Amino acid sequence: MSDKFRLPARYGTGEKSVWVEYIQLVADIKPKLNLGQGLPDFHAPSHVPKALMEATDSENPLMHQYTRGFGHPRLVQSLSKLYSPLVGKEIDPMNEILVTVGAYEALFATILGHVDHGDEVIVIEPFYDCYDPMIQCAGGVAKFIPLKPKKVHDNMTSSDWILDEKELESLFSDRTKMFILNTPHNPLGKVFTRQELEKIADLCKKYNVLCVSDEVYEWMVFEPLKHVRIATLPGMWERTITIGSAGKMFSVTGWKVGWAYGPANLLKNLQIVHQNCVYTHCTPIQEAIARAIEFELSRWNTPDCYMSSISKELVSKRDVLNRILKDNGFITTLPDGGYFIMADYTKLANKMDLSTEPDKYKDYKFTKKFAKEASIVTIPLSAFYSKEHKHFGENYARFCFIKKDENLALTGTLLQEWQKRSHL
Ligand code: PMP
Ligand code: GLN
Protein backbone atom coordinates (compact mmCIF):
# COMPACT_ATOMS: atom_id res chain seq x y z
CA MET A 1 0.00 0.00 0.00
CA SER A 2 2.60 2.55 1.07
CA ASP A 3 4.82 1.59 -1.86
CA LYS A 4 1.90 1.96 -4.27
CA PHE A 5 1.46 5.60 -3.31
CA ARG A 6 5.09 6.59 -3.23
CA LEU A 7 6.26 9.72 -5.02
CA PRO A 8 6.99 8.94 -8.68
CA ALA A 9 10.74 8.54 -9.16
CA ARG A 10 10.84 11.40 -11.67
CA TYR A 11 10.42 13.77 -8.70
CA GLY A 12 13.53 12.41 -7.01
CA THR A 13 13.60 11.51 -3.34
CA GLY A 14 11.06 14.12 -2.32
CA GLU A 15 13.39 16.41 -0.40
CA LYS A 16 12.09 19.88 0.37
CA SER A 17 13.68 22.69 -1.61
CA VAL A 18 15.81 25.23 0.23
CA TRP A 19 12.97 27.77 -0.18
CA VAL A 20 10.40 25.54 1.48
CA GLU A 21 12.82 24.73 4.28
CA TYR A 22 14.05 28.28 4.93
CA ILE A 23 10.60 29.91 4.76
CA GLN A 24 9.66 27.49 7.54
CA LEU A 25 12.84 28.45 9.41
CA VAL A 26 11.76 32.10 9.23
CA ALA A 27 8.29 31.19 10.51
CA ASP A 28 9.78 29.14 13.35
CA ILE A 29 12.49 31.45 14.64
CA LYS A 30 11.02 34.84 13.65
CA PRO A 31 14.41 36.47 12.96
CA LYS A 32 14.94 40.21 13.25
CA LEU A 33 16.18 40.22 9.68
CA ASN A 34 15.42 37.98 6.70
CA LEU A 35 18.12 38.27 4.04
CA GLY A 36 17.31 34.81 2.69
CA GLN A 37 14.78 34.38 -0.09
CA GLY A 38 15.09 37.09 -2.76
CA LEU A 39 12.33 39.59 -2.18
CA PRO A 40 12.19 43.34 -1.60
CA ASP A 41 10.97 44.53 1.82
CA PHE A 42 9.78 47.83 0.32
CA HIS A 43 6.89 48.89 -1.88
CA ALA A 44 6.76 48.39 -5.61
CA PRO A 45 6.54 51.61 -7.70
CA SER A 46 3.10 53.04 -6.94
CA HIS A 47 1.79 52.83 -10.52
CA VAL A 48 2.04 49.02 -10.37
CA PRO A 49 -0.44 48.28 -7.51
CA LYS A 50 -2.55 51.18 -8.83
CA ALA A 51 -2.78 49.42 -12.20
CA LEU A 52 -4.05 46.31 -10.41
CA MET A 53 -6.65 48.30 -8.50
CA GLU A 54 -7.83 49.89 -11.70
CA ALA A 55 -7.93 46.53 -13.49
CA THR A 56 -10.07 44.89 -10.78
CA ASP A 57 -12.26 47.98 -10.47
CA SER A 58 -12.85 48.12 -14.19
CA GLU A 59 -16.34 48.31 -15.70
CA ASN A 60 -15.36 45.37 -17.88
CA PRO A 61 -16.75 42.15 -16.30
CA LEU A 62 -14.37 40.07 -18.44
CA MET A 63 -11.47 41.41 -16.39
CA HIS A 64 -12.50 38.74 -13.83
CA GLN A 65 -12.83 35.86 -16.28
CA TYR A 66 -10.37 33.57 -18.08
CA THR A 67 -8.20 35.29 -20.61
CA ARG A 68 -6.29 33.90 -23.59
CA GLY A 69 -4.35 30.82 -22.39
CA PHE A 70 -0.94 31.69 -23.84
CA GLY A 71 -1.00 35.25 -22.53
CA HIS A 72 -3.47 38.07 -22.02
CA PRO A 73 -3.53 39.99 -25.35
CA ARG A 74 -2.64 43.36 -23.81
CA LEU A 75 0.29 41.82 -21.92
CA VAL A 76 1.83 39.93 -24.85
CA GLN A 77 1.49 43.10 -26.92
CA SER A 78 3.24 45.22 -24.31
CA LEU A 79 5.98 42.57 -23.92
CA SER A 80 6.49 42.62 -27.67
CA LYS A 81 6.79 46.43 -27.58
CA LEU A 82 9.29 46.19 -24.73
CA TYR A 83 11.53 43.43 -26.09
CA SER A 84 11.40 43.93 -29.88
CA PRO A 85 13.81 46.90 -29.85
CA LEU A 86 16.01 45.15 -27.28
CA VAL A 87 16.44 42.02 -29.40
CA GLY A 88 16.49 43.94 -32.69
CA LYS A 89 13.58 42.08 -34.27
CA GLU A 90 9.81 42.36 -34.29
CA ILE A 91 8.53 39.76 -31.81
CA ASP A 92 5.16 38.28 -32.81
CA PRO A 93 3.08 38.73 -29.62
CA MET A 94 0.72 35.84 -30.38
CA ASN A 95 3.25 33.18 -31.38
CA GLU A 96 6.60 34.14 -29.94
CA ILE A 97 5.68 34.94 -26.31
CA LEU A 98 4.15 32.74 -23.62
CA VAL A 99 2.98 34.19 -20.31
CA THR A 100 3.53 31.83 -17.38
CA VAL A 101 3.09 31.55 -13.62
CA GLY A 102 6.40 33.16 -12.76
CA ALA A 103 9.69 32.46 -14.45
CA TYR A 104 9.48 29.16 -12.59
CA GLU A 105 6.71 27.90 -14.85
CA ALA A 106 8.50 29.29 -17.91
CA LEU A 107 11.50 27.16 -16.94
CA PHE A 108 9.29 24.14 -16.35
CA ALA A 109 7.47 24.52 -19.69
CA THR A 110 10.77 25.04 -21.52
CA ILE A 111 12.50 22.05 -19.95
CA LEU A 112 9.51 19.67 -20.03
CA GLY A 113 8.58 20.88 -23.52
CA HIS A 114 12.01 20.11 -25.00
CA VAL A 115 13.98 17.61 -22.94
CA ASP A 116 13.31 13.95 -23.68
CA HIS A 117 14.54 10.75 -22.02
CA GLY A 118 18.33 10.60 -22.09
CA ASP A 119 18.83 14.11 -23.48
CA GLU A 120 21.74 15.93 -21.92
CA VAL A 121 21.42 19.45 -20.54
CA ILE A 122 24.47 21.55 -19.68
CA VAL A 123 24.06 23.58 -16.49
CA ILE A 124 26.48 26.11 -15.02
CA GLU A 125 27.18 25.73 -11.29
CA PRO A 126 26.15 27.29 -9.00
CA PHE A 127 22.69 27.15 -10.58
CA TYR A 128 19.19 28.27 -9.64
CA ASP A 129 18.14 25.19 -7.72
CA CYS A 130 15.03 24.13 -9.68
CA TYR A 131 16.88 23.49 -12.97
CA ASP A 132 18.17 20.09 -11.91
CA PRO A 133 14.89 18.59 -10.57
CA MET A 134 13.07 19.87 -13.67
CA ILE A 135 15.63 18.19 -15.95
CA GLN A 136 15.27 14.95 -13.97
CA CYS A 137 11.49 15.19 -14.17
CA ALA A 138 11.79 15.34 -17.97
CA GLY A 139 14.04 12.24 -17.94
CA GLY A 140 17.07 14.29 -18.98
CA VAL A 141 20.62 14.12 -17.70
CA ALA A 142 22.22 17.28 -16.31
CA LYS A 143 25.92 17.86 -17.05
CA PHE A 144 27.41 20.44 -14.71
CA ILE A 145 30.24 22.88 -15.22
CA PRO A 146 31.33 25.02 -12.25
CA LEU A 147 32.22 28.70 -12.39
CA LYS A 148 35.52 29.00 -10.55
CA PRO A 149 37.41 32.05 -9.29
CA LYS A 150 40.46 32.89 -11.44
CA LYS A 151 42.34 33.60 -8.22
CA VAL A 152 41.01 33.76 -4.67
CA HIS A 153 41.63 37.12 -2.98
CA ASP A 154 39.90 39.48 -0.56
CA ASN A 155 38.37 41.82 -3.14
CA MET A 156 36.81 39.43 -5.61
CA THR A 157 34.01 40.46 -7.92
CA SER A 158 31.63 38.16 -9.73
CA SER A 159 33.60 38.75 -12.98
CA ASP A 160 36.47 36.83 -11.36
CA TRP A 161 34.34 33.68 -11.57
CA ILE A 162 34.77 32.12 -14.98
CA LEU A 163 34.17 28.93 -16.95
CA ASP A 164 37.07 26.87 -18.19
CA GLU A 165 36.65 26.96 -21.98
CA LYS A 166 38.16 23.51 -22.59
CA GLU A 167 36.00 21.95 -19.89
CA LEU A 168 32.97 23.69 -21.38
CA GLU A 169 33.54 22.34 -24.86
CA SER A 170 34.18 18.84 -23.49
CA LEU A 171 30.60 18.69 -22.19
CA PHE A 172 29.04 19.23 -25.62
CA SER A 173 28.26 16.18 -27.78
CA ASP A 174 25.53 14.78 -30.08
CA ARG A 175 23.56 13.96 -26.95
CA THR A 176 23.38 17.60 -25.80
CA LYS A 177 19.87 19.01 -26.25
CA MET A 178 19.97 22.14 -24.13
CA PHE A 179 22.28 24.66 -22.49
CA ILE A 180 20.94 26.68 -19.55
CA LEU A 181 22.40 30.12 -19.05
CA ASN A 182 21.52 32.52 -16.23
CA THR A 183 22.69 36.11 -16.63
CA PRO A 184 22.76 38.13 -14.39
CA HIS A 185 23.45 35.09 -12.32
CA ASN A 186 21.79 33.91 -9.13
CA PRO A 187 23.52 33.49 -6.65
CA LEU A 188 26.87 34.91 -7.86
CA GLY A 189 25.68 38.13 -9.48
CA LYS A 190 27.87 37.43 -12.49
CA VAL A 191 26.95 39.29 -15.66
CA PHE A 192 28.26 37.29 -18.60
CA THR A 193 30.29 39.38 -21.04
CA ARG A 194 29.70 39.44 -24.78
CA GLN A 195 32.90 37.40 -25.27
CA GLU A 196 31.78 34.73 -22.81
CA LEU A 197 28.37 34.56 -24.46
CA GLU A 198 29.93 34.32 -27.91
CA LYS A 199 31.87 31.26 -26.80
CA ILE A 200 28.67 29.64 -25.49
CA ALA A 201 26.76 30.65 -28.63
CA ASP A 202 29.42 29.17 -30.92
CA LEU A 203 29.21 25.85 -29.10
CA CYS A 204 25.39 25.86 -29.19
CA LYS A 205 25.52 26.42 -32.94
CA LYS A 206 28.29 23.88 -33.55
CA TYR A 207 26.43 21.13 -31.67
CA ASN A 208 22.90 22.23 -32.66
CA VAL A 209 21.85 22.91 -29.06
CA LEU A 210 18.88 24.88 -27.72
CA CYS A 211 19.93 27.73 -25.42
CA VAL A 212 17.67 28.65 -22.51
CA SER A 213 18.55 32.06 -21.14
CA ASP A 214 17.15 32.81 -17.69
CA GLU A 215 17.33 36.62 -17.56
CA VAL A 216 15.03 37.41 -14.65
CA TYR A 217 17.59 39.90 -13.27
CA GLU A 218 18.02 41.64 -16.65
CA TRP A 219 17.19 45.08 -15.12
CA MET A 220 19.67 44.74 -12.28
CA VAL A 221 23.08 45.22 -13.88
CA PHE A 222 25.66 47.55 -12.35
CA GLU A 223 27.88 49.87 -14.36
CA PRO A 224 30.15 49.51 -16.20
CA LEU A 225 28.73 46.11 -17.15
CA LYS A 226 25.88 45.79 -19.61
CA HIS A 227 23.29 43.08 -19.98
CA VAL A 228 23.77 41.23 -23.26
CA ARG A 229 20.88 39.05 -24.47
CA ILE A 230 22.36 35.91 -26.00
CA ALA A 231 19.36 35.77 -28.37
CA THR A 232 20.78 38.87 -30.10
CA LEU A 233 24.07 37.21 -31.10
CA PRO A 234 24.30 36.10 -34.75
CA GLY A 235 22.43 32.86 -35.42
CA MET A 236 21.08 32.64 -31.86
CA TRP A 237 17.49 33.92 -32.06
CA GLU A 238 16.40 30.73 -33.79
CA ARG A 239 17.81 28.52 -31.02
CA THR A 240 17.17 30.59 -27.87
CA ILE A 241 14.30 30.76 -25.43
CA THR A 242 14.63 33.76 -23.10
CA ILE A 243 12.89 33.88 -19.74
CA GLY A 244 11.80 36.95 -17.77
CA SER A 245 9.85 37.79 -14.62
CA ALA A 246 7.47 40.63 -13.75
CA GLY A 247 8.18 39.82 -10.10
CA LYS A 248 11.77 40.99 -10.58
CA MET A 249 10.95 43.75 -13.07
CA PHE A 250 8.55 45.56 -10.74
CA SER A 251 9.55 44.27 -7.28
CA VAL A 252 6.30 42.28 -7.00
CA THR A 253 7.60 38.73 -6.55
CA GLY A 254 4.26 37.61 -5.09
CA TRP A 255 2.42 38.32 -8.34
CA LYS A 256 4.19 35.40 -10.00
CA VAL A 257 3.97 36.54 -13.61
CA GLY A 258 6.73 35.37 -15.91
CA TRP A 259 7.23 34.75 -19.60
CA ALA A 260 9.28 33.05 -22.25
CA TYR A 261 9.99 34.49 -25.68
CA GLY A 262 11.67 33.00 -28.73
CA PRO A 263 10.88 31.69 -32.20
CA ALA A 264 7.37 30.27 -32.74
CA ASN A 265 8.56 26.74 -33.56
CA LEU A 266 10.30 26.48 -30.17
CA LEU A 267 7.56 28.30 -28.21
CA LYS A 268 4.92 25.86 -29.50
CA ASN A 269 6.27 23.08 -27.29
CA LEU A 270 6.07 25.29 -24.20
CA GLN A 271 2.48 26.21 -25.04
CA ILE A 272 1.52 22.52 -24.98
CA VAL A 273 3.04 21.99 -21.52
CA HIS A 274 1.38 25.19 -20.30
CA GLN A 275 -2.07 24.38 -21.76
CA ASN A 276 -2.02 20.95 -20.12
CA CYS A 277 -0.87 22.28 -16.78
CA VAL A 278 -2.12 25.69 -15.62
CA TYR A 279 -3.69 26.67 -18.98
CA THR A 280 -3.80 30.40 -18.16
CA HIS A 281 -2.62 32.98 -15.60
CA CYS A 282 -4.93 35.39 -13.70
CA THR A 283 -6.48 38.05 -15.93
CA PRO A 284 -6.33 41.17 -13.69
CA ILE A 285 -2.70 40.57 -12.72
CA GLN A 286 -1.72 40.22 -16.38
CA GLU A 287 -3.71 43.34 -17.26
CA ALA A 288 -1.94 45.28 -14.49
CA ILE A 289 1.53 44.19 -15.62
CA ALA A 290 0.62 45.16 -19.20
CA ARG A 291 -0.43 48.64 -18.04
CA ALA A 292 2.70 48.96 -15.89
CA ILE A 293 4.96 48.08 -18.83
CA GLU A 294 3.09 50.57 -21.06
CA PHE A 295 3.65 53.25 -18.43
CA GLU A 296 7.38 52.49 -18.22
CA LEU A 297 7.65 52.54 -22.02
CA SER A 298 6.14 56.04 -21.97
CA ARG A 299 9.10 57.19 -19.80
CA TRP A 300 11.77 54.91 -21.28
CA ASN A 301 15.27 56.40 -21.29
CA THR A 302 14.40 58.80 -18.47
CA PRO A 303 15.97 58.44 -15.01
CA ASP A 304 12.51 57.73 -13.55
CA CYS A 305 11.96 54.58 -15.58
CA TYR A 306 11.93 51.81 -12.96
CA MET A 307 13.91 49.44 -15.16
CA SER A 308 16.88 51.80 -14.94
CA SER A 309 16.35 53.46 -11.54
CA ILE A 310 16.27 50.08 -9.73
CA SER A 311 19.92 49.35 -10.66
CA LYS A 312 21.04 52.70 -9.32
CA GLU A 313 19.19 52.10 -6.08
CA LEU A 314 20.61 48.61 -5.79
CA VAL A 315 24.22 49.50 -6.39
CA SER A 316 24.39 51.62 -3.23
CA LYS A 317 22.57 48.92 -1.26
CA ARG A 318 25.09 46.36 -2.55
CA ASP A 319 28.00 48.56 -1.45
CA VAL A 320 26.54 49.13 2.02
CA LEU A 321 25.93 45.44 2.67
CA ASN A 322 29.27 44.46 1.17
CA ARG A 323 31.11 46.85 3.50
CA ILE A 324 29.20 45.58 6.55
CA LEU A 325 29.93 41.96 5.71
CA LYS A 326 33.63 42.60 5.10
CA ASP A 327 33.93 44.60 8.33
CA ASN A 328 32.45 41.67 10.20
CA GLY A 329 34.74 38.90 9.00
CA PHE A 330 33.06 37.64 5.82
CA ILE A 331 34.94 37.37 2.52
CA THR A 332 32.55 38.55 -0.16
CA THR A 333 32.32 38.38 -3.93
CA LEU A 334 31.05 41.78 -5.10
CA PRO A 335 28.21 41.12 -7.57
CA ASP A 336 27.93 42.93 -10.93
CA GLY A 337 24.19 42.28 -11.13
CA GLY A 338 21.17 40.75 -9.39
CA TYR A 339 20.50 41.31 -5.69
CA PHE A 340 22.57 38.79 -3.79
CA ILE A 341 26.03 38.74 -2.23
CA MET A 342 27.83 35.47 -1.83
CA ALA A 343 29.96 35.52 1.33
CA ASP A 344 32.56 33.07 2.62
CA TYR A 345 31.85 32.68 6.33
CA THR A 346 34.66 30.32 7.27
CA LYS A 347 36.73 32.82 9.32
CA LEU A 348 33.72 33.14 11.65
CA ALA A 349 32.65 29.50 11.60
CA ASN A 350 36.11 28.36 12.67
CA LYS A 351 35.36 29.95 16.04
CA MET A 352 31.85 28.48 16.32
CA ASP A 353 30.57 25.10 17.43
CA LEU A 354 28.44 23.89 14.53
CA SER A 355 28.10 20.34 15.87
CA THR A 356 24.76 21.22 17.48
CA GLU A 357 23.15 21.46 14.04
CA PRO A 358 22.20 18.06 12.62
CA ASP A 359 22.39 19.03 8.92
CA LYS A 360 24.63 17.20 6.50
CA TYR A 361 26.28 20.20 4.86
CA LYS A 362 28.41 22.76 6.69
CA ASP A 363 26.68 25.79 5.12
CA TYR A 364 23.26 24.51 6.26
CA LYS A 365 24.68 24.12 9.79
CA PHE A 366 26.20 27.60 9.68
CA THR A 367 23.16 29.41 8.24
CA LYS A 368 20.82 27.78 10.77
CA LYS A 369 23.03 28.52 13.75
CA PHE A 370 23.62 32.05 12.42
CA ALA A 371 19.86 32.56 11.98
CA LYS A 372 19.21 31.52 15.57
CA GLU A 373 22.15 33.34 17.16
CA ALA A 374 22.52 36.50 15.05
CA SER A 375 18.82 36.62 14.11
CA ILE A 376 19.67 37.00 10.39
CA VAL A 377 18.41 34.47 7.85
CA THR A 378 20.57 33.75 4.79
CA ILE A 379 20.63 30.94 2.22
CA PRO A 380 23.24 28.12 2.19
CA LEU A 381 25.07 28.05 -1.11
CA SER A 382 25.35 24.28 -1.50
CA ALA A 383 21.62 24.40 -2.40
CA PHE A 384 22.81 25.77 -5.78
CA TYR A 385 25.08 22.81 -6.55
CA SER A 386 24.53 19.26 -7.74
CA LYS A 387 24.84 16.41 -5.22
CA GLU A 388 28.37 15.62 -6.42
CA HIS A 389 29.56 19.22 -6.11
CA LYS A 390 27.91 20.44 -2.89
CA HIS A 391 31.37 20.88 -1.35
CA PHE A 392 32.05 23.78 -3.78
CA GLY A 393 29.32 25.80 -2.07
CA GLU A 394 29.77 24.67 1.52
CA ASN A 395 31.82 27.68 2.66
CA TYR A 396 29.31 30.30 1.55
CA ALA A 397 26.04 31.93 2.59
CA ARG A 398 23.94 34.10 0.24
CA PHE A 399 22.73 37.50 1.49
CA CYS A 400 19.89 39.35 -0.27
CA PHE A 401 20.32 43.16 -0.44
CA ILE A 402 17.07 44.38 -2.04
CA LYS A 403 16.10 45.72 1.39
CA LYS A 404 15.32 49.06 3.01
CA ASP A 405 18.45 51.01 3.95
CA GLU A 406 17.54 50.80 7.65
CA ASN A 407 17.46 47.01 7.41
CA LEU A 408 20.84 46.91 5.72
CA ALA A 409 22.17 49.04 8.58
CA LEU A 410 20.49 46.66 11.04
CA THR A 411 22.66 43.86 9.58
CA GLY A 412 25.73 45.67 10.96
CA THR A 413 24.18 46.15 14.39
CA LEU A 414 23.03 42.53 14.63
CA LEU A 415 26.41 41.21 13.49
CA GLN A 416 28.28 43.27 16.04
CA GLU A 417 25.93 42.31 18.88
CA TRP A 418 26.22 38.65 17.92
CA GLN A 419 30.03 38.72 17.72
CA LYS A 420 30.23 40.40 21.11
CA ARG A 421 27.81 37.92 22.70
CA SER A 422 29.52 34.92 21.18
CA HIS A 423 33.08 36.21 21.78
CA LEU A 424 33.93 35.72 18.10
N1 PMP B 1 15.21 32.16 -12.20
C1 PMP B 1 16.01 32.73 -11.29
C2 PMP B 1 17.48 32.81 -11.57
C3 PMP B 1 15.49 33.23 -10.09
O1 PMP B 1 16.30 33.76 -9.19
C4 PMP B 1 14.10 33.12 -9.85
C5 PMP B 1 13.53 33.62 -8.56
N2 PMP B 1 12.92 34.78 -8.79
C6 PMP B 1 13.30 32.53 -10.83
C7 PMP B 1 13.89 32.06 -11.99
C8 PMP B 1 11.83 32.38 -10.63
O2 PMP B 1 11.19 33.61 -10.81
P1 PMP B 1 9.63 33.83 -10.48
O3 PMP B 1 9.54 34.34 -9.11
O4 PMP B 1 9.18 34.82 -11.53
O5 PMP B 1 8.97 32.50 -10.67
N1 GLN C 1 14.51 33.61 -6.81
C1 GLN C 1 14.39 33.96 -5.43
C2 GLN C 1 15.68 33.61 -4.72
O1 GLN C 1 16.60 33.13 -5.30
C3 GLN C 1 13.17 33.31 -4.82
C4 GLN C 1 13.25 31.83 -4.72
C5 GLN C 1 11.94 31.15 -4.53
O2 GLN C 1 11.02 31.71 -3.98
N2 GLN C 1 11.83 29.96 -4.96
O3 GLN C 1 15.74 33.85 -3.56
Side-chain angles (χ1 to χ4, degrees):
M1 173 87 176
S2 58
D3 198 39
K4 186 172 180 181
F5 298 113
R6 74 186 184 279
L7 181 73
R10 63 181 173 278
Y11 287 104
T13 50
E15 277 161 32
K16 286 182 181 146
S17 79
V18 68
W19 315 114
V20 176
E21 189 178 352
Y22 277 63
I23 288 169
Q24 192 53 48
L25 179 73
V26 170
D28 291 344
I29 68 171
K30 299 183 184 53
K32 293 198 174 118
L33 198 52
N34 180 3
L35 304 182
Q37 197 184 15
L39 50 97
D41 63 355
F42 49 79
H43 281 292
S46 59
H47 72 90
V48 180
K50 188 161 161 258
L52 180 59
M53 277 188 317
E54 284 168 6
T56 52
D57 217 19
S58 141
E59 303 273 290
N60 180 359
L62 292 182
M63 208 36 72
H64 299 279
Q65 308 307 330
Y66 297 127
T67 185
R68 177 177 172 270
F70 299 150
H72 184 55
R74 189 163 175 179
L75 179 54
V76 288
Q77 273 149 18
S78 69
L79 287 168
S80 163
K81 282 198 197 104
L82 171 69
Y83 285 113
S84 294
L86 298 174
V87 298
K89 93 167 263 316
E90 209 44 47
I91 301 177
D92 172 356
M94 293 300 162
N95 296 300
E96 296 187 315
I97 300 175
L98 173 72
V99 175
T100 54
V101 182
Y104 242 90
E105 197 229 333
L107 287 163
F108 187 82
T110 304
I111 293 170
L112 274 285
H114 283 279
V115 175
D116 222 329
H117 276 269
D119 285 344
E120 292 185 1
V121 181
I122 300 175
V123 178
I124 297 169
E125 284 182 312
F127 59 89
Y128 189 55
D129 68 307
C130 65
Y131 301 162
D132 189 23
M134 286 181 186
I135 293 164
Q136 280 182 40
C137 190
V141 180
K143 296 273 165 186
F144 299 101
I145 171 151
L147 282 160
K148 290 185 194 142
K150 277 185 269 194
K151 197 168 143 244
V152 179
H153 54 94
D154 277 358
N155 290 310
M156 290 209 299
T157 76
S158 59
S159 305
D160 290 322
W161 291 68
I162 53 170
L163 295 175
D164 181 288
E165 291 195 0
K166 281 212 186 83
E167 193 181 350
L168 178 64
E169 175 139 25
S170 74
L171 291 187
F172 280 82
S173 74
D174 298 348
R175 295 181 300 278
T176 314
K177 170 67 84 62
M178 182 181 279
F179 183 94
I180 305 185
L181 169 73
N182 174 211
T183 184
H185 184 270
N186 178 8
L188 247 176
K190 180 180 172 69
V191 176
F192 284 75
T193 63
R194 185 173 291 277
Q195 287 83 341
E196 288 173 316
L197 295 178
E198 277 167 356
K199 178 73 198 169
I200 292 168
D202 287 346
L203 290 168
C204 288
K205 285 183 276 185
K206 181 170 169 190
Y207 291 90
N208 191 23
V209 167
L210 169 65
C211 179
V212 178
S213 191
D214 178 343
E215 300 183 9
V216 300
Y217 300 102
E218 63 195 311
W219 314 108
M220 289 118 185
V221 176
F222 313 132
E223 281 172 2
L225 289 177
K226 295 259 176 292
H227 179 56
V228 179
R229 295 178 170 78
I230 197 166
T232 63
L233 298 187
M236 285 306 284
W237 169 260
E238 50 269 44
R239 58 175 66 258
T240 304
I241 294 171
T242 307
I243 290 173
S245 167
K248 306 290 165 190
M249 181 186 272
F250 289 124
S251 297
V252 286
T253 60
W255 288 24
K256 289 295 291 184
V257 176
W259 47 79
Y261 64 85
N265 64 317
L266 297 181
L267 260 277
K268 242 195 215 152
N269 295 359
L270 280 65
Q271 291 173 342
I272 301 303
V273 177
H274 175 81
Q275 86 178 8
N276 295 332
C277 176
V278 294
Y279 171 59
T280 189
H281 198 305
C282 324
T283 309
I285 296 260
Q286 290 195 66
E287 171 78 12
I289 295 293
R291 291 180 191 209
I293 292 174
E294 287 163 16
F295 179 71
E296 296 296 353
L297 286 173
S298 75
R299 57 176 184 175
W300 200 253
N301 282 335
T302 71
D304 290 339
C305 175
Y306 196 67
M307 281 85 142
S308 58
S309 66
I310 186 69
S311 289
K312 305 228 159 35
E313 232 179 280
L314 281 174
V315 86
S316 55
K317 292 183 184 297
R318 172 197 71 171
D319 291 343
V320 168
L321 185 62
N322 189 53
R323 183 75 267 148
I324 292 172
L325 293 176
K326 274 166 122 45
D327 287 348
N328 284 281
F330 290 91
I331 302 169
T332 58
T333 291
L334 191 74
D336 293 304
Y339 42 59
F340 304 109
I341 296 182
M342 222 172 93
D344 181 326
Y345 60 77
T346 44
K347 274 203 247 166
L348 295 161
N350 288 343
K351 302 185 218 153
M352 292 161 69
D353 174 17
L354 296 181
S355 65
T356 49
E357 299 299 323
D359 289 83
K360 184 164 166 200
Y361 300 109
K362 203 168 80 193
D363 54 338
Y364 276 73
K365 289 178 190 284
F366 171 78
T367 49
K368 287 187 183 171
K369 185 129 186 159
F370 182 60
K372 289 176 219 157
E373 291 191 351
S375 208
I376 303 173
V377 169
T378 57
I379 298 291
L381 217 86
S382 65
F384 299 84
Y385 283 88
S386 59
K387 264 211 170 65
E388 303 73 51
H389 294 158
K390 295 268 179 216
H391 55 281
F392 287 139
E394 266 192 294
N395 288 344
Y396 300 92
R398 191 197 74 173
F399 290 75
C400 175
F401 60 84
I402 189 162
K403 303 291 173 191
K404 287 183 208 154
D405 293 344
E406 68 230 48
N407 280 335
L408 295 175
L410 179 62
T411 313
T413 313
L414 291 176
L415 282 173
Q416 275 154 32
E417 285 172 4
W418 167 60
Q419 300 213 30
K420 227 186 262 160
R421 267 198 316 273
S422 316
H423 308 289
L424 291 182

